[in-house]
């Protein structure tokens, strides 16, 4: 997909305040600091569209971007950020889960996980929650440049095996590096193919 335009629309503190749900929407979600905002920028070839930071918890609102004037890309706050109070963490969780369950035009979640680690409990729990609530998702490994290619392969295999304990079919899996601008094209192709499918089947959110 050629990115002709990528524009920031707005930041929202509640799902009710998000932009009108009139275009197909794709969402980046994952633990705080996993690299959501960085991958959005790399994928769209924009340096600073989504704000990134070395300090976890940078993205605290739901950020909507509109791409090629035809679909939304959404950057969510990270879940599981430990260094805020328990009640604040609960508020974030509520913001995220309410948004996911209520957003009518949500087509797919991209759940980002760190390619350096073995499956983490919090990510697996979130993925299970998606399954229980019928939320479609794909898995995106981030920061692949930070470990040897063989380690990435092993970690992806471990993840698949962990998922196969509870899932019959595996979701789409992408391996990416925002640093090296790798893997974003495959995600864009999935989005482009899905948008074509929605158009051909006359699904529109107008
Ligand atoms: P929150 O908004 O706090 O939830 O974080 P986030 O998931 O949006 O992470 P962000 O994109 O801000 O990145 C966090 C840190 O990881 C930054 O210091 C990035 O430079 C670094 N980072 C992100 N992606 C990559 C990558 O692919 N490779 C490397 N080496 N570093 C990365
Ligand atoms: Mg962020």
């Amino acid at each position: 997909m050629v990115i002709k335009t990528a524009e920031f629309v707005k930041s929202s503190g509640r799902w009710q305040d998000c932009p009108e749900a009139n275009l197909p929407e794709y969402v980046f979600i994952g633990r705080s600091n996993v690299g959501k905002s960085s991958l959005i920028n790399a994928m769209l070839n924009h340096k600073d569209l989504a704000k990134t930071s070395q300090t976890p918890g940078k993205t605290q609102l739901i950020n909507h971007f509109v791409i090629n004037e035809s679909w939304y890309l959404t950057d969510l706050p990270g879940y599981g950020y430990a260094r805020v109070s328990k009640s604040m963490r609960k508020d974030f969780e509520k913001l995220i889960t309410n948004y996911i369950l209520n957003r009518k035009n949500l087509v797919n979640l991209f759940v980002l996980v760190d390619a350096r680690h073995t499956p983490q409990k919090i990510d697996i729990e979130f993925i299970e929650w998606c399954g229980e609530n019928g939320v479609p998702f794909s898995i995106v490994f981030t920061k692949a440049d930070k470990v040897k290619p063989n380690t990435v392969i092993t970690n992806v295999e471990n993840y698949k095996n962990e998922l196969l304990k509870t899932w019959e079919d595996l979701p789409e899996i992408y391996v990416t590096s925002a640093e090296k601008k790798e893997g974003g094209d495959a995600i864009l192709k999935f989005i482009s193919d899905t948008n074509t499918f929605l158009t051909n089947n006359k699904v529109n959110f107008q």
Side-chain angles (χ1 to χ4, degrees), residues 32-38 53-54 57-59 143 145-146 178:
S32 196
N33 214 42
V34 71
K36 298 174 291 296
S37 303
S38 302
S53 165
Q54 288 176 354
K58 174 71 186 171
T59 310
K143 309 191 185 184
D145 58 284
K146 286 203 166 192

Side-chain angles (χ1 to χ4, degrees), residues 59-136:
T59 310
Q60 302 201 342
L61 296 165
I62 303 166
N63 292 302
H64 276 84
F65 304 92
V66 65
I67 316 301
N68 293 348
E69 295 174 13
S70 58
W71 54 280
Y72 285 121
L73 185 59
T74 308
D75 188 12
L76 286 187
Y79 53 74
Y81 175 42
R83 262 169 269 167
V84 292
S85 69
K86 223 176 184 177
S87 73
M88 230 171 122
R89 204 153 74 213
K90 278 257 168 303
D91 286 348
F92 274 140
E93 266 162 34
K94 236 175 40 209
L95 173 70
I96 293 168
T97 52
N98 277 339
Y99 160 80
I100 293 172
L101 296 177
N102 287 294
R103 191 75 176 152
K104 301 243 176 320
N105 58 338
L106 199 159
V107 178
N108 195 58
L109 285 183
F110 292 93
V111 182
L112 275 59
V113 297
D114 196 317
R116 294 173 293 180
H117 305 312
T118 51
Q120 306 284 298
K121 189 163 167 258
I122 190 163
D123 294 320
I124 297 293
E125 278 173 5
F126 179 74
I127 289 167
E128 295 303 329
W129 179 86
C130 288
E132 282 158 19
N133 289 282
V135 181

Side-chain angles (χ1 to χ4, degrees), residues 26-28 34 39 43 108-116 136-144 152-153 155-157 159-160 163 170-178 182-194:
Y26 300 85
V27 180
F28 275 26
V34 71
L39 188 57
M43 192 174 91
N108 195 58
L109 285 183
F110 292 93
V111 182
L112 275 59
V113 297
D114 196 317
R116 294 173 293 180
F137 68 91
S138 315
I139 293 186
V140 176
F141 289 86
T142 62
K143 309 191 185 184
V152 175
I153 293 169
N155 288 350
V156 171
E157 280 313 306
Y159 230 97
K160 285 183 182 169
L163 291 174
L170 288 171
E172 297 270 340
I173 290 177
Y174 302 92
V175 177
T176 68
S177 161
E182 285 170 1
D185 283 353
I187 297 175
L188 285 176
K189 180 166 188 321
F190 171 87
I191 293 174
S192 164
D193 290 348
T194 307

